[in-house]
């Protein structure tokens, strides 16, 4: 795609008539025309794209799609992972008024067919030939697909064929003033209530549902989130999450809206890219932060016991100092009123601790400075969303000097509901609801509960979706009579209005004795052990709890050698050793003590090891949340044996 003559695209000559996401982003393309917007690599070669080039590429692709009868309301399935062409495709469809239906390359054929049918798609965009070959049987049954567009590939179109590569579509790369005028007219015709996309939820509890998101839903996020992270045009983002997922998609829209630059990374290169590109903002999910935590912990452990002990001491000093300083400043969450003498005494104790720890803290931060360089050295805000960030991990990141914007949202809210960025200093919370959002906590009877009392989170605001596509019964369940969306999440509010997430209604394990247990807290605690790569808590309707553990086998061998003073030759030996399982269970239960906020019935009665790791698309969603119903079905016999 080549740049057109400057006279066809004069800066500042165009302004949207009506507000829409595409209008906001095209306005950025005018305002920041010469600034870089995307950096990506292909076959080891790096490419940089300017905002002006992005606009031209979008105009070209929109024109090509229109010539192949993609029009207002067309349902277009996008089957692709992160790449520059994904965003160009998304914006081109948005400009035309077509509705994108995006999924990642790991989508199973059965799920692809379900979504094609349910969303009534008539066009398909696929990333590679290999993806088309994988789903050839399904696609062969769908004669309603008028055209298939292939992002990566040489010219493929033949007479009477409905397959076009992007090289076919963009054979003519010239642009005229009429092309820009026609494009601008299309963009100006959109309204806030127009449907932008159908995003099918990842199916943690069954078949995915099509979340309808409008320009109003997404634009609300685009306009309200930048102040929370103090977005500026010089910001550099490193992107790793699936572009089709609403958390990453909204982050990219926000970056484009503010004139920032986005670097596309991968799981394999993420750590190296943080050091190389030195981002100012990163948005990712808790499991990525957990992976970085494990990598750092393992690296320190390899340096020996002395280095490990020193590192842990530095982190503990920083945690205590930050906690005391927040206590002194009144920035710790309060769930009930306390009398002023108690508040005054706590402030005095905190002030003394701040003074005593000032020098050790300064030394700790100096020693931890090289670690911050591993994150690039200029990371202003690390955004965590798409799941609950464990408390130990939040404290650890804060201790080493990374500011975390702990965010809460859902696909149905495009996605923002609450977030603690530069808008709140109340550590340990999700911050206040995003501006313009009504949020309330209700009990099982729908009555609003006071601060400090747990209940279901309900929200209302411009970001809340109009409903699930073709799911009347689900929509009746999803909304209250007053129009509040039932999130299905459990939480409570502080006295000053910050949100704390406590669990998921449908994930709560109810023991036979009636106790309700949030599995995520216990699984998060287990993740602190170096040999626990992943874990799932089970025990619904049982007398107690058990856990299925995905071990890091090498770390488990080290643990075996340390505790039993003997080497293990194989993972099979470890898998079968009952003494090892019992010792690991005891190690986990040491973490699940009352002093750490756990109740007596939250200890584990049994554990077992799984040989197979959880994978995205099977046991994990694309944002790496566990599909509990899939895991429990897959390991039903093992779970039954644990409770015999």
């Amino acid at each position: 795609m080549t740049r057109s003559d400057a006279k066809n695209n004069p800066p500042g000559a165009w302004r949207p008539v009506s507000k829409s996401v595409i209008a906001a982003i095209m306005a950025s393309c005018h305002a920041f025309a010469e600034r870089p917007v995307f950096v990506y690599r292909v076959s080891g070669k790096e490419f940089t794209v300017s905002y002006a080039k992005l606009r031209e590429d979008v105009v070209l692709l929109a024109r090509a799609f229109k010539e192949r009868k993609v029009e207002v309301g067309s349902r277009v399935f996008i089957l692709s992972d992160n790449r520059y062409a994904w965003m160009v495709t998304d914006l081109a469809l948005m400009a035309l008024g077509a509705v994108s239906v995006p999924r990642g390359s790991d989508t199973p054929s059965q799920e692809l067919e379900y979504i094609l049918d349910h969303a009534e798609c008539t066009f398909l965009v696929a990333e590679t030939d290999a993806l088309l070959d994988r789903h050839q049987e399904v696609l062969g049954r769908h004669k309603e697909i008028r055209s298939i567009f292939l992002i990566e590939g040489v010219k493929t179109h033949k007479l009477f064929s409905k397959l076009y590569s992007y090289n076919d579509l963009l054979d003519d790369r010239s642009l005229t003033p009429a092309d820009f005028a026609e494009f601008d007219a299309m963009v100006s015709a959109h309204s806030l209530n127009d449907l932008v996309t159908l995003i099918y939820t990842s199916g943690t509890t069954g078949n995915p549902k099509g979340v309808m998101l409008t320009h109003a839903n997404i634009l609300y996020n685009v306009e309200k989130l930048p102040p929370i992270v103090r977005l500026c045009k010089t910001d550099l983002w490193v992107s790793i999450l699936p572009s089709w997922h609403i958390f990453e998609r909204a982050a990219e829209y926000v970056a484009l809206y503010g004139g920032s630059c986005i670097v596309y990374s991968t799981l394999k290169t993420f750590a190296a890219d943080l050091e190389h590109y030195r981002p100012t903002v990163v948005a990712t999910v808790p499991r990525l932060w957990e992976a970085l935590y494990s990598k750092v912990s393992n690296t320190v452990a390899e340096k020996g016991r002395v280095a490990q002990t020193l590192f842990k001491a530095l982190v503990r000093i920083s945690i205590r100092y930050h906690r005391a300083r927040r206590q002194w400043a009144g920035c710790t969450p309060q769930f009930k009123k306390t009398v002023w003498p108690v508040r005054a005494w706590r402030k005095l104790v905190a002030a003394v601790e701040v003074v005593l720890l000032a020098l050790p803290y300064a030394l700790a931060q100096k020693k931890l400075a090289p670690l911050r360089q591993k994150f690039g050295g200029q990371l202003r805000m690390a955004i965590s969303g798409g799941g609950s960030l464990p408390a130990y991990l939040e404290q650890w990141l804060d201790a080493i000097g990374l500011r975390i914007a702990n965010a809460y949202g859902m696909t149905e809210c495009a996605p923002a509901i609450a977030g603690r960025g530069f808008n709140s200093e109340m550590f340990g919370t999700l911050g206040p609801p995003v501006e313009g959002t009504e949020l309330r906590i209700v009990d099982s009877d729908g009555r609003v509960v006071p601060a400090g009392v747990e209940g279901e989170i309900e929200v209302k605001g411009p970001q809340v979706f109009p409903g699930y596509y073709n799911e009347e019964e689900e929509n009746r369940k999803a909304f209250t009579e007053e129009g509040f969306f039932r999130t299905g999440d459990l939480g409570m509010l502080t006295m000053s209005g910050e949100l704390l997430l406590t669990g998921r209604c449908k994930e709560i394990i109810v023991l036979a004795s009636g106790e309700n247990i949030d599995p995520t807290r216990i699984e998060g605690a287990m993740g602190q052990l170096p040999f626990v790569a992943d874990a799932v808590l089970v025990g619904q309707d049982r007398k107690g709890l058990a856990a299925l553990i995905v071990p890091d086998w090498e770390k488990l061998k080290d643990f075996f050698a340390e505790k039993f003073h003997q080497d293990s030759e194989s993972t099979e030996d470890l898998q079968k050793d009952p003494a090892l399982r019992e010792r690991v269970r005891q190690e986990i239960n040491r973490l699940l003590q009352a002093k750490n906020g756990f109740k007596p019935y939250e200890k584990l009665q049994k554990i077992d090891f799984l040989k197979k790791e959880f994978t995205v698309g099977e046991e994990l969603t694309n944002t790496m949340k566990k599909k509990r119903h899939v895991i429990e079905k897959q390991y039903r016999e093992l779970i039954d044996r644990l409770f015999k």
Side-chain angles (χ1 to χ4, degrees), residues 48 74 537 596:
T48 301
S74 294
L537 200 69
N596 296 327

Side-chain angles (χ1 to χ4, degrees), residues 327 334 337-349:
Q327 182 74 51
Q334 303 295 319
K337 291 182 178 180
T338 53
V339 295
W340 74 263
V342 173
R343 295 198 304 271
W345 174 251
R346 288 174 180 171
K347 277 181 171 286
L348 178 61
V349 171

Side-chain angles (χ1 to χ4, degrees), residues 390-392 517-528 537 545 588-604:
Y392 82 88
I517 296 168
D518 173 19
T520 59
R521 290 181 64 247
I522 296 174
E523 291 164 0
M526 293 165 65
Q528 297 179 62
L537 200 69
L545 296 174
I588 293 170
N589 282 340
R590 286 194 182 97
L591 297 174
L592 306 179
Q593 299 289 332
K595 65 180 181 180
N596 296 327
F598 295 98
K599 298 178 175 62
Y601 53 79
E602 291 184 310
K603 287 187 170 62
L604 301 184

Side-chain angles (χ1 to χ4, degrees), residues 358-612:
L359 193 58
Y361 172 73
L363 177 62
Q365 288 301 297
K366 184 177 180 180
K367 293 292 185 181
L368 292 171
L371 176 56
R372 288 193 292 276
Q373 293 301 317
K374 295 291 183 182
F375 293 86
Q378 57 183 22
L379 193 60
R380 188 184 74 252
M381 180 63 71
I383 305 168
S384 179
S388 183
L389 187 67
Y392 82 88
L393 192 56
E394 186 175 13
Q395 289 180 346
W396 184 83
L397 290 166
D398 180 63
I400 65 175
L402 296 183
R403 176 143 190 161
I404 291 291
N406 203 356
Y408 167 58
M410 300 181 71
T411 304
E412 289 85 346
C413 296
I417 297 173
R420 192 196 76 240
F422 289 106
N423 60 329
S424 174
E425 297 295 331
M426 203 63 70
F427 191 77
T429 74
L430 291 159
V434 178
E435 181 187 346
T437 302
E438 292 183 64
L439 186 149
R440 66 186 190 183
I441 310 294
V442 301
D443 61 19
S444 56
D445 295 320
R447 294 173 300 203
V448 178
V449 300
V453 177
E454 183 184 72
E456 183 177 1
I457 303 167
E458 294 182 348
V459 294
K460 182 195 285 187
Q463 77 271 49
V464 177
F465 75 136
Y468 299 109
Y469 183 65
N470 278 348
E471 299 279 1
E472 291 185 16
E473 182 59 30
E474 290 294 334
N475 289 331
R476 280 194 291 270
K477 295 176 184 176
F479 292 92
T480 69
E481 292 181 0
E482 303 98 320
F484 280 85
F485 172 59
R486 298 183 174 107
T487 66
D489 288 323
L490 297 173
M492 63 176 70
L493 292 171
T494 67
M495 296 293 293
S496 49
E498 292 83 18
L499 178 66
L500 188 72
L501 199 64
T502 58
R504 177 82 183 156
C505 295
K506 293 181 181 178
E507 290 185 353
I508 293 298
I509 294 174
V510 183
L511 298 180
S513 53
E515 287 90 354
N516 290 353
I517 296 168
D518 173 19
T520 59
R521 290 181 64 247
I522 296 174
E523 291 164 0
M526 293 165 65
Q528 297 179 62
L529 296 171
F531 50 78
V532 176
D534 212 335
V536 172
L537 200 69
V538 294
Q540 179 65 34
D541 298 324
R542 311 282 187 165
K543 292 181 179 180
L545 296 174
L548 306 180
I549 296 173
V550 179
D552 180 322
W553 292 107
E554 291 304 315
K555 294 291 184 296
L556 192 59
K557 286 179 182 179
D558 293 342
F559 177 78
F560 182 88
E562 179 183 345
K563 297 299 180 182
F564 294 91
H565 306 291
Q566 64 184 81
D567 293 330
S568 173
E569 294 182 358
S570 69
T571 58
E572 190 173 350
D573 293 339
L574 298 174
Q575 176 97 14
K576 294 179 178 179
D577 194 316
L580 175 62
R581 289 200 300 272
E582 177 57 22
R583 182 58 69 94
V584 169
R585 186 185 72 86
Q586 292 173 6
E587 287 292 316
I588 293 170
N589 282 340
R590 286 194 182 97
L591 297 174
L592 306 179
Q593 299 289 332
K595 65 180 181 180
N596 296 327
F598 295 98
K599 298 178 175 62
Y601 53 79
E602 291 184 310
K603 287 187 170 62
L604 301 184
Q605 294 186 355
K606 292 286 184 68
I607 69 163
D608 209 339
F609 301 129
L610 302 180
K611 293 181 180 179
K612 179 177 173 290

Side-chain angles (χ1 to χ4, degrees), residues 4 8-9 59-60 63 173-182:
S4 66
N8 294 330
N9 190 18
V59 173
L60 281 166
R63 183 183 68 181
R173 297 171 183 256
S174 61
L175 287 170
T176 67
D179 291 321
F180 284 102
E182 184 177 0

